[in-house]
Amino acid sequence: MRVLVIGSGGREHALCWKIAQSPLVDEVFCAPGNAGIAEDAVCVDIGSDDTAGLLRFAKDNAFDLTVVGPEAPLVGGIADAFLAEGLPVFGPGATGAMLEGSKAFAKDLMSRCGIPTAAYRTFSDASKAREYVEKEARGNVVVKADGLAAGKGVVVARTREEALQAIEEIMARRAFGAAGDRVVVEEMLEGEEASFIAVCDGENVLSFASSQDHKRLLDNDEGPNTGGMGAYSPAPVVDVRMEGLVMDRVIEPLVWGLKKAGITYRGVLYAGLMITDEGPFVLEFNVRMGDPETQPLLVRCASDIVPVMLEVARGGSVKSLRIDSSAGPAVCVVAASEGYPGPVVKGRVIEGIEEAAKIEGVKVFHAGTTLRDKRFVTNGGRVLGVTATGDTLTGAIAKAYSAVSKISFEGMHYRRDIGKKAIGRMP
Ligand code: AMP
Ligand code: GLY
């Protein structure tokens, strides 16, 4: 069979790499892909936001399965467009994708289903939001733009002034465009974050292993939020008991709530969690795999992922299928460009990828890369996701950093503490 993957990041590289290993698959295409993806799939120059172009390409090539990597096309309704043409697509329709596309929608659904989440209020009027922060809110608050903002529309305010400033930035100065029509102001939760990623066929859920992202730019979780500077799996903060709580309190009520709202949700359900003393609380839902969590999850994934995606895309059931993970942990360290998470410098020559990839158990996933004169050059904010497996977490971390040390490009920066939090809690 032939599979099309939509997207161009490290997550999509990991997806293409994994899908290409399936004995069911003859050919993998990726639109638009990147220089590293081109080694595992045929890249075609169609942007992930060009629904009409993608649809035409998929129809012409009669793909058996299309896997949508990023959220924006899902929120824009690409899955509905493919389904209307009878093309099997892995990813929810636009209504389901509102779970990620609108914080207010997600919060309302959570409160209707009794899913634990921070207490919140939604405002479409900046002066009402300000008044709430000044007079009513207790303790520290988090201010969130209501629409998609590439992981950057959230301000965890340490002071009342910071919260007011965030409202000003988002609603008055429109720092995130139309996402600033509304804000969600919510209570700040204390705990440790984890990602819980699962596949849903509308009824049944299969979960991947737990994982943890590192959202802040700098070591010790300092600096601004980014798309994610590294990840590891499993996350020991999600032990067997906690996993049970996540299924009982979050995932099952969510699947029920979506059904009750008349939404047949087929695709990835990703719960961004805060693990607190009182159990899991949901910070956000996403409707696609995490980036960079996908990289360690898929190198650990011992099952063929294609039958699962295909069943979901065809409207079937995953009840008899499984997603198994190997016992050894995996770690992904993101190497980013000068300027990231702000505007970045592109076109810098990358050295050492081949040497890094020679290390046993290391896979270098590409994100913002392209080819110039047959050499890899930087082409985005997050450039590479250097991923390693090991028998122990410490071993996987050491291997990932030893691979990173072989790679260089001008302005390259990365966190030195990926996975550190979990050491001591893991063998
Ligand atoms: P979100 O996009 O909603 O997941 O928010 C981005 C990041 O902001 C999260 O990964 C957390 O680090 C932080 N955050 C969001 N909501 C809260 C909250 N209620 N309490 C503490 N931190 C939060
Ligand atoms: N790594 C966080 C995300 O994909 O949203």
Side-chain angles (χ1 to χ4, degrees):
M1 58 183 272
R2 289 142 70 86
V3 181
L4 172 64
V5 174
I6 295 172
S8 61
R11 164 184 52 213
E12 287 76 23
H13 191 184
L15 283 166
C16 287
W17 171 81
K18 181 70 183 164
I19 290 168
Q21 290 169 36
S22 169
L24 299 171
V25 172
D26 302 302
E27 265 185 309
V28 185
F29 287 71
C30 187
N34 62 41
I37 291 177
E39 295 179 349
D40 292 296
V42 180
C43 291
V44 284
D45 190 15
I46 309 173
S48 60
D49 53 355
D50 179 4
T51 302
L54 290 165
L55 194 57
R56 207 174 316 119
F57 182 70
K59 268 166 71 178
D60 289 351
N61 287 278
F63 286 105
D64 303 283
L65 170 67
T66 297
V67 177
V68 186
E71 62 276 15
L74 292 169
V75 173
I78 196 167
D80 308 283
F82 271 59
L83 285 182
E85 295 287 347
L87 291 162
V89 60
F90 180 72
T95 336
M98 278 173 70
L99 213 47
E100 177 165 2
S102 165
K103 301 260 184 213
F105 173 87
K107 291 295 269 190
D108 292 346
L109 187 66
M110 282 188 259
S111 76
R112 286 207 303 279
C113 309
I115 296 173
T117 186
Y120 72 103
R121 294 272 299 270
T122 306
F123 298 95
S124 41
D125 179 334
S127 63
K128 295 234 166 70
R130 265 187 239 114
E131 195 178 303
Y132 172 72
V133 167
E134 279 172 343
K135 301 201 179 125
E136 277 182 68
R138 278 178 289 131
N140 290 338
V141 295
V142 181
V143 181
K144 303 184 174 188
D146 187 37
L148 292 183
K152 293 162 200 158
V154 173
V155 176
V156 181
R158 301 273 153 201
T159 61
R160 188 165 292 185
E161 284 62 44
E162 262 180 49
L164 293 172
Q165 210 179 333
I167 293 168
E168 181 68 20
E169 283 285 317
I170 295 170
M171 297 193 92
R173 292 210 211 115
R174 318 286 288 175
F176 305 101
D181 283 346
R182 289 197 294 180
V183 290
V184 170
V185 180
E186 67 178 41
E187 147 205 33
M188 189 168 122
L189 298 169
E190 302 281 351
E192 187 171 336
E193 282 181 57
S195 304
F196 192 89
I197 300 176
V199 172
C200 179
D201 64 13
E203 293 273 344
N204 310 284
V205 168
L206 295 180
S207 59
F208 283 94
S210 60
S211 56
Q212 191 175 64
D213 184 15
H214 296 62
K215 291 215 168 88
R216 300 296 190 113
L217 180 66
L218 305 172
D219 286 4
N220 302 316
D221 292 333
E222 302 207 8
N225 265 330
T226 68
M229 294 299 291
Y232 62 89
S233 168
V237 68
V238 185
D239 56 15
V240 175
R241 184 188 79 92
M242 194 56 70
E243 195 175 322
L245 292 181
V246 175
M247 287 305 290
D248 292 350
R249 295 185 188 174
V250 176
I251 303 294
E252 278 167 21
L254 176 65
V255 172
W256 175 85
L258 285 164
K259 252 171 48 183
K260 193 146 177 281
I263 298 168
T264 307
Y265 191 98
R266 295 199 188 100
V268 170
L269 277 177
Y270 164 147
L273 302 171
M274 187 69 91
I275 307 297
T276 75
D277 295 341
E278 289 154 50
F281 278 68
V282 175
L283 295 176
E284 63 167 350
F285 285 120
N286 294 322
V287 298
R288 36 77 194 172
M289 303 282 291
D291 190 343
E293 293 97 317
T294 301
Q295 290 83 315
L297 286 181
L298 290 186
V299 298
R300 290 189 68 215
C301 183
S303 318
D304 184 355
I305 193 70
V306 173
V308 174
M309 291 174 158
L310 199 57
E311 209 47 55
V312 172
R314 287 177 176 162
S317 164
V318 296
K319 206 163 184 178
S320 62
L321 300 174
R322 297 172 60 94
I323 300 178
D324 290 321
S325 295
S326 64
V331 175
C332 169
V333 178
V334 170
S337 285
E338 183 177 338
Y340 183 75
V344 298
V345 187
K346 295 183 183 178
R348 300 237 161 110
V349 175
I350 311 168
E351 311 274 5
I353 294 179
E354 266 181 35
E355 212 187 321
K358 274 189 205 145
I359 302 174
E360 186 266 321
V362 167
K363 174 72 194 169
V364 181
F365 292 115
H366 290 230
T369 69
T370 189
L371 279 179
R372 194 178 65 203
D373 304 329
K374 297 192 179 152
R375 300 177 79 180
F376 293 123
V377 297
T378 64
N379 194 39
R382 294 189 288 176
V383 177
L384 299 169
V386 182
T387 309
T389 49
D391 295 333
T392 62
L393 180 68
T394 323
I397 293 172
K399 211 189 276 182
Y401 279 105
S402 136
V404 170
S405 73
K406 314 254 183 250
I407 297 173
S408 62
F409 54 87
E410 196 185 337
M412 166 171 149
H413 60 99
Y414 56 91
R415 276 180 63 159
R416 320 259 156 175
D417 64 345
I418 303 300
K420 197 170 153 191
K421 230 185 256 174
I423 293 177
R425 292 223 240 129
M426 227 175 189

